[in-house]
Amino acid sequence: MEEQGGITVRRALELPALRGGLPEVVTGAERLHRTVRWVHAGEVPNIAALLKGGELLLTTGLTIGARPSEQRAFVRKLAERGITALVVELGPRFSRLPAAIVETARTAGLPLVQLHREVPFVSVTEEIHTEIVNGHYALLRQAEDVHRRCTESLLGGGGVPSVLRILSGFAGNPVFLETADGQLLYAADGGEGPGRPDPIQVWEGMRGRRDGEQPAGSLVVDVPGGDSGGGTGPVRARLVVLAVSGRLQQVHRMAAERAAGVLAVVLMQARQEEELAARGRGDFLTDLAEGRIAEEDAPGQARVLGFRPGDGPLLPVVMRVTAAEHAPAGSWALLARAVMEELATVGVPVLVGVRPVEGRVPLLLGLRGEAERTAVADRVAAALRSGVERAGMAKAGGGAPVVVVGVAGGWAAASAGLRHAAETAAAAQGLPPRPWHDARRLDIDLLLWRLHRHDEASLAAFVDRAIGPLRAHDAASRPPLLPTLETYLTHAGRKAETARELHLNRQTLYNRLSRIAELLGTDLDDPQTVLTLSLALRARRHV
């Protein structure tokens, strides 16, 4: 990227202070367009070590050295340092520049200027520095003008595309807004004239670059995220300007940095509005579940929210995000967007809301018929989990999200179904993971969960009476017996299937079952005992 804000060597030689020294360009006349970043005057033997590059160096040559080897080394080090030009005032030290200096400067491509009259170096420095500062100020004014136009456009109702068009028009090159992981959000090309490249094709062409590598001739500026305290957070997006139609300069970076600040505000506002909308849909679904919306009013309110399910049954679904309390600020807005985008591939009407306080995502889906409930539930559960991954909430702590699918029916059934699915999602915490749980199969777990909430001590006492001796045994002895009992009850007392799943021979299983019956003082063939033990095994995860 070409530096701006300085002045060229040619312009510096035209200023009164240097022009009064009768400057003569000895070498590098073809490089007088170089930008002078700063001016330095000095008579130090190893002055190159004091420079950063881009300087115009003024000297009388007192410390250049008398031997050709010293003179060549002096000039070579300056060229390697990247100075813009070397200006030597003729006088007591040199009446004319030695051939070693001239030849080395010519070989290095360094502009070399000799002054035939004495000039006050301080005047030269002041004049050039003033020009440089004025140049920087002019760049700032151009960048601030872009910032002003972007702000005015937003206040006038424009959005992200209008900001990108303004920046693209100023830079004369295509501009892109990408996500932090390189996905295209918006593209704009504010240039004019036929034959200009399509910005989407340009972006597609640069997608093959390696992660973190900027394409040649590009300008990349981070659009920061924001946290709840108003400070800067992780990168939310990246503003990319490609030098396709013309070279990018420093003023374009300055303008892009100001535009990035505007975009950060726009994206923050959009995220807040998106989250508010998702919360509004969540409030509607919660009110529906709690019976605060009449059955005859629900379809009209749903249409206002964009949900038009048709005449088929409604399928209630609730996802519980166990990591909700650890999620970073703004995650629910990202989750709502990601889930909506993932659900777009399911192919049925859907209404999605969020309830951050409860850590829930309630949904209603419109089915064509009851027969497609299972197939739709499979696709919805996969979409919900993908949304959680994309929003970064799967890494925020806690376990995997729990998805519960309710019973399909009309609006009245949807109300009860949402309430049932929401409670069941809470009750399902700690169950073996499944892509989704059928609310109809978890009624016993739901009853135990309700008992736990209202009378935890009684539930704990029941578990202790029923399987306390086995828990004590497993805490002190091996092999543990609770897994054997649980597998035996799962297979409804079928010993062959139990032995096969536990990889035990028949006699070993019989010995374990006998030991379990002895410890519990009960008969494992008694139906009442089997029911009690089954309930206790389910209830133990609550206590």
Side-chain angles (χ1 to χ4, degrees):
M1 182 183 302
E2 182 179 321
E3 289 288 335
Q4 284 191 315
I7 66 172
T8 65
V9 177
R10 179 176 289 104
R11 172 58 183 158
L13 297 178
E14 293 171 351
L15 294 176
L18 271 181
R19 192 172 66 243
L22 302 178
E24 177 189 354
V25 179
V26 181
T27 68
E30 73 284 359
R31 297 176 180 266
L32 297 184
H33 63 277
R34 282 183 169 183
T35 300
V36 177
R37 184 186 59 80
W38 206 240
V39 182
H40 190 85
E43 307 294 344
V44 181
N46 191 24
I47 197 170
L50 306 178
L51 305 177
K52 296 181 178 180
E55 296 92 349
L56 184 146
L57 177 62
L58 301 170
T59 181
T60 61
L62 291 176
T63 57
I64 289 182
R67 294 193 295 272
S69 60
E70 296 173 336
Q71 296 168 355
R72 282 191 288 269
F74 182 87
V75 176
R76 186 168 55 251
K77 289 179 181 179
L78 292 175
E80 291 172 352
R81 202 63 168 174
I83 71 167
T84 302
L86 173 60
V87 178
V88 182
E89 183 183 83
L90 301 179
R93 181 67 181 88
F94 297 121
S95 58
R96 55 179 302 203
L97 289 178
I101 294 177
V102 175
E103 291 169 2
T104 306
R106 180 178 291 113
T107 301
L110 176 66
L112 176 63
V113 180
Q114 59 184 7
L115 301 178
H116 292 277
R117 288 175 56 182
E118 181 180 344
V119 298
F121 282 179
V122 66
S123 298
V124 175
T125 302
E126 288 177 349
E127 280 191 354
I128 296 180
H129 284 178
T130 299
E131 287 280 318
I132 292 173
V133 170
N134 289 342
H136 279 294
Y137 180 66
L139 295 184
L140 286 172
R141 284 192 299 179
Q142 293 181 58
E144 288 300 326
D145 181 64
V146 172
H147 181 267
R148 176 187 57 77
R149 290 165 55 199
C150 290
T151 304
E152 290 177 351
S153 176
L154 291 177
L155 294 177
V160 173
S162 68
V163 172
L164 297 187
R165 283 194 296 270
I166 291 171
L167 179 60
S168 179
F170 177 70
N173 283 285
V175 175
F176 310 94
L177 187 66
E178 296 180 349
T179 62
D181 59 357
Q183 300 300 310
L184 181 63
L185 295 174
Y186 299 95
D189 185 3
E192 299 179 355
R196 295 183 63 84
D198 176 29
I200 301 298
Q201 292 180 354
V202 172
W203 182 80
E204 289 287 349
M206 77 175 195
R207 290 190 68 184
R209 70 185 189 276
R210 297 192 303 274
D211 290 342
E213 179 184 359
Q214 298 180 8
S218 71
L219 168 63
V220 180
V221 177
D222 289 339
V223 179
D227 55 27
S228 57
T232 58
V235 175
R236 182 182 302 136
R238 288 190 173 90
L239 193 60
V240 181
V241 187
L242 288 188
V244 175
S245 304
R247 294 187 63 188
L248 295 175
Q249 300 174 339
Q250 184 63 22
V251 67
H252 299 136
R253 171 172 288 279
M254 297 165 66
E257 289 171 348
R258 283 154 177 76
V262 173
L263 291 172
V265 176
V266 175
L267 294 180
M268 173 68 76
Q269 182 182 17
R271 185 178 71 182
Q272 291 172 342
E273 292 175 350
E274 192 171 51
E275 182 168 338
L276 286 175
R279 288 184 183 225
R281 296 190 295 271
D283 292 343
F284 165 76
L285 292 170
T286 300
D287 288 343
L288 180 65
E290 298 299 328
R292 291 189 286 268
I293 298 176
E295 179 183 352
E296 61 272 16
D297 296 333
Q301 294 188 30
R303 282 195 297 273
V304 172
L305 296 173
F307 182 55
R308 296 173 174 80
D311 299 327
L314 302 174
L315 181 64
V317 177
V318 173
M319 176 175 67
R320 184 173 179 84
V321 184
T322 56
E325 66 273 17
H326 304 290
S331 294
W332 284 97
L334 297 175
L335 177 63
R337 177 191 295 176
V339 164
M340 285 298 296
E341 292 174 352
E342 293 290 339
L343 288 173
T345 64
V346 174
V348 298
V350 60
L351 181 65
V352 181
V354 297
R355 296 285 292 178
V357 175
E358 295 94 347
R360 292 202 306 260
V361 178
L363 305 89
L364 265 186
L365 299 107
L367 304 181
R368 289 182 291 270
E370 171 68 27
E372 65 176 353
R373 175 178 182 268
T374 300
V376 169
D378 288 339
R379 297 198 298 272
V380 168
L384 289 172
R385 293 174 186 278
S386 295
V388 171
E389 289 285 344
R390 286 177 52 188
M393 296 181 73
K395 303 175 183 177
V402 174
V403 179
V404 173
V405 179
V407 179
W411 282 100
S415 175
L418 281 169
R419 183 170 60 255
H420 184 210
E423 280 193 307
T424 305
Q429 300 291 322
L431 286 177
R434 297 175 59 89
W436 57 276
H437 297 274
D438 191 332
R440 298 174 298 189
R441 298 173 61 89
L442 296 181
D443 281 338
I444 292 177
D445 294 276
L446 179 57
L447 287 173
L448 292 171
W449 176 75
R450 286 174 176 169
L451 179 59
H452 164 68
R453 291 184 64 193
H454 295 288
D455 194 351
E456 182 179 355
S458 294
L459 185 64
F462 164 71
V463 172
D464 190 58
R465 287 194 303 271
I467 59 173
L470 284 187
R471 298 174 77 184
H473 171 275
D474 286 2
S477 305
R478 291 291 180 270
L481 297 178
L482 276 171
T484 300
L485 176 62
E486 191 165 17
T487 305
Y488 177 70
L489 296 178
T490 299
H491 290 290
R494 293 186 289 272
K495 296 181 177 63
E497 294 178 17
T498 302
R500 188 161 45 249
E501 181 169 330
L502 293 174
H503 304 290
L504 299 175
N505 60 52
R506 289 285 189 94
Q507 189 58 49
T508 300
L509 176 63
Y510 295 159
N511 291 340
R512 288 191 185 183
L513 292 176
S514 176
R515 178 61 175 155
I516 290 171
E518 178 186 349
L519 287 170
L520 297 180
T522 190
D523 181 4
L524 296 183
D525 292 326
D526 175 54
Q528 189 66 30
T529 297
V530 169
L531 175 60
T532 299
L533 293 177
S534 297
L535 290 175
L537 287 171
R538 287 194 177 193
R540 63 175 172 156
R541 64 190 175 87
H542 295 301
V543 300

